[in-house]
Amino acid sequence: MLAGVVCGLAVVAPVAGAQVGTGPWKPWSPGFSEQERGCGQINGLTFQLTCSTGSGDQRAERRYDTYTGGTHQFEGSFKVTSMSGTRISVKQTFRDGSNAGPYFLLAVEKGGRMYAVEGGQTLASGATVGTSVRVNTINQVGSTHKVYINGSLKQTIDSPGGSYYDKFGSYRTSSGAGPITVQWSGVKFWTK
């Protein structure tokens, strides 16, 4: 009797374990490069801006491989461990190719507000120092880009066709300044 129950449970277990969105999802392991500019410093999955300057290119980021077409999900958790600055981008979906440039930027303000840099829409609160926040983005190229915070859908915008890539870390927005230290964990990618 117990063997029948165990076998039944094994049949319904999810294959990839994606946190959000309708599957089935297939795990993906894109390559990456790291970018340190200005006062940006990277140590493993810890990303710092060590200065308080409000000008120049200040970044410490991990940039993943470009993809074209399909549906791609990013998942990761970030925790701000120190922040005396404000308005720092922690996750980006970036366009590549002929339309290269920032497409979606998730930023944090001192006090914990999370917002979309383009348009300034508040997406959630609670990114206070020491609190872990899970972020999922699902980009269905040519259709929609969705943002989930701690498993709840917070934004859906149009996704034009073309090429994209994911970035995370700490990046000074045009109205922001450090210092900040951000730790990322549980980073995963899926496609379908």
Side-chain angles (χ1 to χ4, degrees), residues 26-30 64-67 72-73 166 188-191:
K26 297 180 294 187
W28 181 45
S29 298
Y64 282 83
D65 291 343
T66 299
Y67 58 86
H72 298 262
Q73 179 170 178
D166 290 295
K188 300 173 188 172
F189 295 87
W190 296 277
T191 64

Side-chain angles (χ1 to χ4, degrees), residues 90-170:
V90 293
K91 164 64 174 80
Q92 301 178 38
T93 305
F94 217 85
R95 291 193 75 185
D96 205 0
S98 61
N99 293 312
Y103 164 67
F104 167 77
L105 288 82
L106 173 67
V108 296
E109 285 183 334
K110 194 170 189 174
R113 174 180 174 252
M114 290 169 271
Y115 67 98
V117 173
E118 294 294 320
Q121 175 189 353
T122 298
L123 301 181
S125 59
T128 54
V129 172
T131 302
S132 183
V133 176
R134 193 176 82 234
V135 178
N136 292 73
T137 57
I138 298 176
N139 190 13
Q140 185 176 357
V141 178
S143 181
T144 59
H145 180 276
K146 296 181 178 181
V147 180
Y148 295 79
I149 304 293
N150 293 326
S152 297
L153 179 62
K154 298 298 184 179
Q155 183 189 57
T156 302
I157 56 176
D158 290 338
S159 174
S163 299
Y164 294 84
Y165 57 87
D166 290 295
K167 295 171 80 172
F168 66 83
S170 56

